[in-house]
Amino acid sequence: MHKLLLRQLKRSALSDLLEAHPRFLESVSDAYTQHEDEIRFIEHSLFVVSNELNEQNALLSRQVHELSQANAQISRSEAELTAILDATGEAIISFDCNGELSLLNRQGKNFISQLQADMIFEEQLLLICKNPTELEETFEAIRKDPFINVNGLIEFKRRRYYEFYSSPKVVDGQLQGRVWSFKDVSSQKITDDIIRFQALHDSLTGLPNRNCLNQLLEKQLRFHNFHLMKLAVLFIDLSGLKKINDTQGFEVGDAILIDSVHRIMLRLRDKDIIARFGGDDLIAILRDIPSNDWVMSVCKNIERDISQPIEFSNHLYFISCHIGVSIYPEDGEAVGDLVRRADLAKYHGFNHDVAIQFFSFSIAEEEMRRQTVESQLRKAIENLELTLYLQPKVDLKSGAIKGSEGLIRWVKPDGSIIPPGVFIPIAENTGMIRDIGRLVVHEACKILANWERLGITETTISVNLSIADFNDGALVGDIIGELERFNVSPSRLILEVTESLFMANKDLVRNAMLQLESQGIKFALDDFGTGYSSLSYLQELPFSYLKIDRSFLIGVLQDAKKSAIAQTIIDIGKNLNLALVAEGIEDAETLEFVRGKTDNCALVQGFYFYRPMPHADLTELLLKHIS
Ligand code: C2E
Ligand code: CA
Ligand code: CA
């Protein structure tokens, strides 16, 4: 029986009912037990549910916590990403597959603000950049393969330059869009451009320098080759600039160089090129030339313009130029060949006193020969292979040998003799002439001293000096030194100079001549009438003798012009009170011509009397005359 039922029956004093209605109470007891079991079950169930709920709750709150942590992390990462993207200094712009903007950093916003919002990004870029072709190629490449990375340089107006990179956005092999980054490299590009310009241009004139010229010419040669066109390379050497630099300073020299460049430019067409090769050497490239004659006329114009006096700070300056020309393709097909050959032509012109010289292969050969002579001559001077021959000068009236002219000979070890006409011009252009000048004066003084000892006291020796000798400040001292060294009277030395001397610095020449003259040395003007004859110079400079050049006397009887020139020179000599020397007397008729024109009053020199001979031979001859 259920305990609670028993207690209730007892408390109600109904315990008798147990016996009276046992079965009834039995079933009530069962109902009590069943009810109790049900309550217990429900209680238990409730307990279980509440436990589960608690667990779920804990899980949920954990998840909420985690989520909020993740959220915070995401916001931090986002902030960090934005900061990083902003800090790159580059404009970063990300698009989805539809071309819609998906991400922008701060610079990206600025960059985009240059574009029009209502247009497709790519089209906008093409519209405002200055190099759309290159960019179009990049876009085309992306269209062909959307997965490629690309990069390049884009130039906007007003010298804005951006370096760009672009990569695809790919997730699990799926294309999600594309990211572009643009870096503003304008200032770096401008600096680079300046550095590149400076590396390729001459700072004084702003012209392309030698490096740049090579590149430009290379390009032009390819172009001319493709279009079957001709091109001319002009090697322009400005003469006289060095002297101006030396005497007036670089400021004046620089100004004159710049002025000269401008003059040349005025004679060139827009499509032609001018560059500074170095120093006072300029190179002009004439493109697509119609003919060589046309090139010649351009050169003549340049040459004429350069020779015009240049005014600077109230002074007039004179310079000149030599131009060597090579033509593509006939004179060469490579940059180096064309420049070298134009230079060689210029050099050849310089040596032959020709202002404008076109290259030819025969010139090249001649220059090669000249270079061989040059190197051999250097050795010959060292090895004492140069010796002075003497050619007597005869007094017309008495027939006596009054003087002699020293003429240099190069006697090679094998006995062959090279005449001065071959090597003197080379020596003059290389500075070796000074060594020859010293040698000749030395030899002449030595011979005169020997003659003195032998009692030959009346005969003079004339030596030939070049303009280069006068440009050397040591000349006067050298000559006086040699005379003193050999104890020779200065009156026995005559110096023969040519009119080319008149082209040198007049004051320098005059001073040197006056100093030497004051010592008793006399001067003869040689080759008068063959060069830049100037009567005023003839008067101003202390000449004692005037030589009629052999070119006017050889064949004078058959040539009325020569005869007239000879007559004029003789008249000038007489009027200026100069003693006349006629050289190149090869026959009796010429001798009689000179005799007639000079009233028998001249010195004569020529093969008719004597050829130039070793000094020992002349010594012997003179000794015979004395005895
Ligand atoms: P130049 O001073 O006019 O010398 C006279 C030249 O005429 C010499 O030639 C001489 O040999 C030549 N000659 C003399 N008589 C006759 C003649 O009857 N017929 C012909 N056809 N020629 C005659 P060379 O010795 O060959 O000298 C040539 C030039 O070389 C000289 O011309 C002179 O300008 C230069 N030269 C010679 N020796 C020297 C030197 O020591 N120093 C310098 N700077 N130049 C020199
Ligand atoms: Ca002479
Ligand atoms: Ca002469």
Side-chain angles (χ1 to χ4, degrees):
M1 193 67 52
H2 197 276
K3 282 178 192 157
L4 182 60
L5 185 61
L6 283 178
R7 261 199 318 273
Q8 284 173 332
L9 288 175
K10 260 188 210 158
R11 207 180 296 149
S12 312
L14 293 174
S15 304
D16 320 344
L17 287 177
L18 284 171
E19 282 177 32
H21 303 285
R23 301 241 325 256
F24 169 71
L25 285 176
E26 194 83 5
S27 62
V28 172
S29 171
D30 286 349
Y32 264 78
T33 306
Q34 195 181 343
H35 180 67
E36 207 176 62
D37 284 349
E38 275 173 10
I39 286 174
R40 213 172 282 133
F41 177 74
I42 288 170
E43 268 177 4
H44 179 73
S45 299
L46 274 176
F47 176 74
V48 169
V49 166
S50 119
N51 262 357
E52 268 178 13
L53 273 176
N54 278 342
E55 272 172 30
Q56 293 271 3
N57 205 11
L59 183 71
L60 262 176
S61 71
R62 252 198 331 274
Q63 282 179 340
V64 165
H65 179 68
E66 274 171 16
L67 256 178
S68 78
Q69 267 190 334
N71 250 346
Q73 179 64 35
I74 286 172
S75 325
R76 271 203 303 279
S77 300
E78 214 171 55
E80 195 172 352
L81 181 68
T82 310
I84 288 172
L85 290 182
D86 287 349
T88 58
E90 298 176 16
I92 294 171
I93 306 164
S94 178
F95 295 95
D96 63 17
C97 283
N98 301 321
E100 296 293 332
L101 254 178
S102 59
L103 186 105
L104 266 179
N105 68 350
R106 200 176 52 234
Q107 293 86 344
K109 282 185 197 121
N110 291 341
F111 186 85
I112 284 276
S113 69
Q114 301 181 60
L115 314 177
Q116 280 172 24
D118 53 349
M119 278 183 78
I120 296 168
F121 179 68
E122 279 88 344
E123 287 178 358
Q124 260 303 300
L125 286 185
L126 286 174
L127 197 70
I128 66 166
C129 81
K130 287 178 82 182
N131 53 340
T133 332
E134 277 165 56
L135 202 59
E136 179 57 61
E137 280 168 16
T138 306
F139 292 150
E140 182 59 37
I142 296 173
R143 269 194 291 277
K144 274 194 190 139
D145 178 4
F147 286 87
I148 56 165
N149 293 308
V150 291
N151 64 296
L153 188 77
I154 180 168
E155 182 185 351
F156 287 171
K157 280 159 201 123
R158 275 176 283 130
R159 305 195 71 188
R160 307 285 331 151
Y161 295 90
Y162 290 89
E163 214 168 68
F164 68 80
Y165 288 86
S166 168
S167 309
K169 284 194 287 184
V170 184
V171 177
D172 294 335
Q174 293 290 310
L175 189 69
Q176 304 290 317
R178 182 162 275 279
V179 183
W180 292 83
S181 79
F182 295 87
K183 183 177 177 186
D184 188 341
V185 290
S186 308
S187 59
Q188 184 190 333
K189 178 83 171 58
I190 291 166
T191 318
D192 284 357
D193 285 354
I194 292 171
I195 291 170
R196 193 169 313 118
F197 184 87
Q198 284 171 345
L200 291 174
H201 290 77
D202 164 49
S203 58
L204 176 64
T205 57
L207 295 182
N209 63 14
R210 188 187 296 201
N211 270 342
C212 185
L213 169 90
N214 287 344
Q215 291 173 17
L216 292 173
L217 188 52
E218 184 87 56
K219 202 165 131 194
Q220 286 308 321
L221 292 184
R222 277 199 300 276
F223 181 83
H224 282 67
N225 177 38
F226 184 78
H227 293 283
L228 299 175
M229 294 191 301
K230 294 200 339 168
L231 164 155
V233 176
L234 274 50
F235 205 116
I236 307 170
D237 179 354
L238 302 172
S239 327
L241 259 187
K242 190 184 172 312
K243 204 165 122 192
I244 294 174
N245 276 335
D246 290 349
T247 55
Q248 311 292 318
F250 283 106
E251 197 194 324
V252 182
D254 287 352
I256 288 171
L257 173 65
I258 291 169
D259 189 280
S260 308
V261 167
H262 289 155
R263 289 178 185 209
I264 296 171
M265 277 173 157
L266 287 177
R267 291 296 180 184
L268 302 180
R269 302 159 303 174
D270 284 348
K271 64 177 171 182
D272 297 329
I273 294 165
I274 176 161
R276 187 170 181 201
F277 196 67
D280 42 17
D281 289 334
L282 302 166
I283 284 196
I285 300 170
L286 308 185
R287 298 176 54 195
D288 185 18
I289 51 166
S291 69
N292 289 11
D293 286 347
W294 180 85
V295 175
M296 185 52 148
S297 67
V298 173
C299 290
K300 279 185 178 157
N301 287 334
I302 291 176
E303 201 254 331
R304 202 177 35 241
D305 291 355
I306 292 291
S307 310
Q308 298 301 311
I310 297 174
E311 199 183 333
F312 184 74
S313 302
N314 293 327
H315 274 80
L316 281 184
Y317 294 96
F318 294 85
I319 61 164
S320 59
C321 69
H322 282 90
I323 307 177
V325 185
S326 65
I327 306 284
Y328 170 86
E330 56 220 50
D331 295 337
E333 297 189 2
V335 169
D337 287 344
L338 287 164
V339 171
R340 206 169 29 253
R341 286 169 184 168
D343 185 24
L344 192 130
K346 177 214 75 187
Y347 199 63
H348 185 86
F350 190 75
N351 285 336
H352 291 77
D353 228 355
V354 179
I356 301 161
Q357 176 72 60
F358 278 59
F359 173 82
S360 75
F361 286 93
S362 66
I363 279 182
E365 258 175 48
E366 198 184 317
E367 283 304 313
M368 286 269 284
R369 268 203 305 279
R370 198 190 52 73
Q371 277 170 18
T372 317
V373 171
E374 188 182 321
S375 64
Q376 288 181 353
L377 181 59
R378 241 174 251 285
K379 288 196 201 101
I381 295 175
E382 284 166 21
N383 298 343
L384 308 175
E385 288 174 24
L386 298 188
T387 176
L388 202 60
Y389 272 41
L390 295 174
Q391 185 180 32
K393 290 179 185 168
V394 176
D395 178 30
L396 247 189
K397 218 177 267 169
S398 66
I401 298 176
K402 277 287 169 67
S404 63
E405 176 174 7
L407 295 159
I408 194 97
R409 295 288 179 268
W410 176 358
V411 185
K412 291 199 148 185
D414 64 4
S416 61
I417 292 179
I418 301 178
V422 174
F423 62 90
I424 289 288
I426 295 171
E428 282 176 338
N429 284 324
T430 54
M432 282 190 275
I433 195 70
R434 272 303 287 133
D435 296 323
I436 294 179
R438 284 196 193 94
L439 182 141
V440 166
V441 171
H442 174 83
E443 284 293 302
C445 290
K446 203 160 103 184
I447 297 167
L448 285 169
N450 187 37
W451 284 356
E452 190 101 5
R453 264 200 311 280
L454 297 171
I456 306 167
T457 51
E458 296 297 314
T459 319
T460 58
I461 297 182
S462 319
V463 296
N464 294 282
L465 289 182
S466 295
I467 183 169
D469 290 302
F470 281 84
N471 286 333
D472 180 345
L475 177 77
V476 174
D478 279 358
I479 295 177
I480 294 171
E482 289 293 340
L483 287 167
E484 283 173 355
R485 177 171 164 193
F486 288 102
N487 197 18
V488 168
S489 159
S491 63
R492 300 190 67 196
L493 187 69
I494 297 169
L495 301 178
E496 292 194 5
V497 295
T498 64
E499 293 160 320
S500 63
L501 207 66
F502 300 167
M503 297 298 285
N505 182 328
K506 193 171 144 191
D507 292 338
L508 192 101
V509 169
R510 208 176 126 83
N511 280 344
M513 285 178 80
L514 288 176
Q515 279 184 61
L516 291 166
E517 200 219 14
S518 70
Q519 299 286 317
I521 295 170
K522 293 206 163 53
F523 284 90
L525 182 58
D526 202 358
D527 302 353
F528 185 67
T530 60
Y532 329 82
S533 308
S534 157
L535 291 176
S536 69
Y537 274 101
L538 197 52
Q539 262 181 311
E540 282 173 42
L541 299 175
F543 287 109
S544 305
Y545 299 91
L546 186 61
K547 288 192 86 172
I548 310 168
D549 192 62
R550 61 189 185 283
S551 60
F552 300 124
L553 290 178
I554 296 170
V556 68
L557 294 168
Q558 292 81 42
D559 189 330
K561 248 195 210 150
K562 281 186 181 179
S563 163
I565 294 171
Q567 176 72 65
T568 308
I569 295 172
I570 290 166
D571 290 343
I572 290 171
K574 275 187 199 159
N575 292 337
L576 294 177
N577 226 358
L578 297 170
L580 283 165
V581 182
E583 75 181 13
I585 311 289
E586 291 192 348
D587 48 45
E589 293 74 30
T590 311
L591 178 64
E592 287 319 307
F593 171 85
V594 174
R595 199 189 293 282
K597 299 287 183 197
T598 61
D599 307 326
N600 211 14
C601 192
L603 286 173
V604 282
Q605 177 187 355
F607 295 172
Y608 179 68
F609 300 99
Y610 304 99
R611 287 184 177 256
M613 59 184 86
H615 65 86
D617 294 2
L618 181 58
T619 307
E620 215 174 288
L621 194 71
L622 290 172
L623 283 174
K624 261 190 229 151
H625 275 260
I626 303 173
S627 56

